[in-house]
Every structure is written in C-alpha cells, then in structure tokens.
Amino acid sequence: MNFKIKINPKVAYLTSTCTALIILFFFSYKAVIAYLIYRELYGGGLDVLVLLRASIAGIMFLLILLFIQFMKINDLKSQRTILRGIFIGWTSVFITLIVLKVSSIYFIFLTGASSLIILVTSFSLDDQIKDEKNTLTDKEIYLLQKLAKKK
C-alpha cells in the first residue's frame, strides 16, 4: 500500500508521550486531592481510590520513560513492531473509554488521535521498509565493486 502521508516515528512517540503526560498530570492531581480529602475526613492512611489514581499516574510515568527510550531505536522493523504494540494499547484504551465512560470526551479524543497518528506512522513505515529492501547499502555496493574487480 503506497501511503502518501509520511510521519516520522519520533512524532508518533512524542504524541504518545504527550498523551501519557496529560494523563499522568490529571491522575496525579486527582490522587493528591483525594488524599487530602481522605486525610481531612479520616485522619490519615490511604484509600483505595488514592492508590488507584496514584498507580495510574505511576504507570503513565513508566510509559513516558519507555517512549523516550523507543525514540533511540533506528531499526525500521523494530519501530514498526513497537508502534503496532503502542497502537493496540491506545486503541484498547480508546474503545474502553467509549464503552465505559463516554463523558470523558477529552480522553477519548486524546487517545483516539494518538492511535490514528500511530496507525498512519505504521503504514508509512511499511512503505519505508519496502523501499529499503530494494536499495543497497554503501557497504553492499563497496563489496560488489570489490567482487567485480576480482573477475
């Protein structure tokens, strides 16, 4: 499939990083507020609601670190595999939000946009991989020239 829109994989990773960062800030804020309310009402300790919100924020922080590390990978096939996994993740969050919580329209839009950008990037990576198979690297050209001189 020849896809006209070409998006760099780093853009997809940055989009996922921004999405995870927004979710991180939202759930961190909600966890702090829930903790303050629980402490004021019951005098201390942690509630399940506080722990769940803090856990989601922690998971998003770890995902941000992963996305930053993924930007350093140069192999196109590895990037395609990683982007497919990220696409499945954001799409599942998108569908889950639509089914369970339609009122959170901002998160639905955010995860849907991230999924769409990753899908387009994955298609453009497929085209780049096909183009890369049809070209020779500098080392291969050098070795072919050396082989031609021997005959």
Side-chain angles (χ1 to χ4, degrees):
M1 180 161 121
N2 227 350
F3 216 67
K4 302 236 185 244
I5 300 173
K6 304 269 188 226
I7 298 178
N8 192 358
K10 290 186 181 190
V11 173
Y13 294 135
L14 285 175
T15 304
S16 293
T17 302
C18 290
T19 302
L21 191 64
I22 291 169
I23 295 171
L24 168 84
F25 287 149
F26 178 77
F27 279 101
S28 296
Y29 168 75
K30 289 288 194 176
V32 168
I33 296 299
Y35 172 73
L36 293 175
I37 291 171
Y38 189 79
R39 188 183 71 184
E40 196 63 35
L41 289 175
Y42 300 108
L46 290 174
D47 186 26
V48 174
L49 181 68
V50 176
L51 291 175
L52 285 175
R53 289 178 176 175
S55 298
I56 292 173
I59 290 168
M60 289 299 129
F61 179 72
L62 291 176
L63 278 176
I64 290 170
L65 292 178
L66 277 174
F67 294 147
I68 291 170
Q69 291 300 316
F70 291 156
M71 281 188 224
K72 297 177 183 177
I73 296 174
N74 292 327
D75 184 38
L76 294 179
K77 290 182 182 178
S78 299
Q79 283 186 351
R80 181 182 62 186
T81 304
I82 291 169
L83 283 176
R84 284 180 181 168
I86 296 171
F87 172 74
I88 291 169
W90 284 130
T91 305
S92 63
V93 170
F94 175 70
I95 292 170
T96 304
L97 283 173
I98 288 175
V99 170
L100 297 178
K101 184 113 175 161
V102 179
S103 63
S104 60
I105 191 74
Y106 295 117
F107 288 125
I108 291 172
F109 175 73
L110 198 60
T111 56
S114 294
S115 295
L116 184 65
I117 290 172
I118 290 170
L119 182 66
V120 170
T121 305
S122 180
F123 285 146
S124 67
L125 269 178
D126 286 339
D127 291 340
Q128 287 177 8
I129 289 170
K130 287 177 187 173
D131 291 342
E132 187 179 83
K133 285 182 181 178
N134 297 332
T135 60
L136 295 174
T137 63
D138 292 336
K139 188 172 185 176
E140 291 170 339
I141 291 171
Y142 173 74
L143 291 173
L144 284 173
Q145 287 173 345
K146 282 209 148 215
L147 186 64
K149 288 180 185 174
K150 284 186 178 181
K151 288 185 176 183

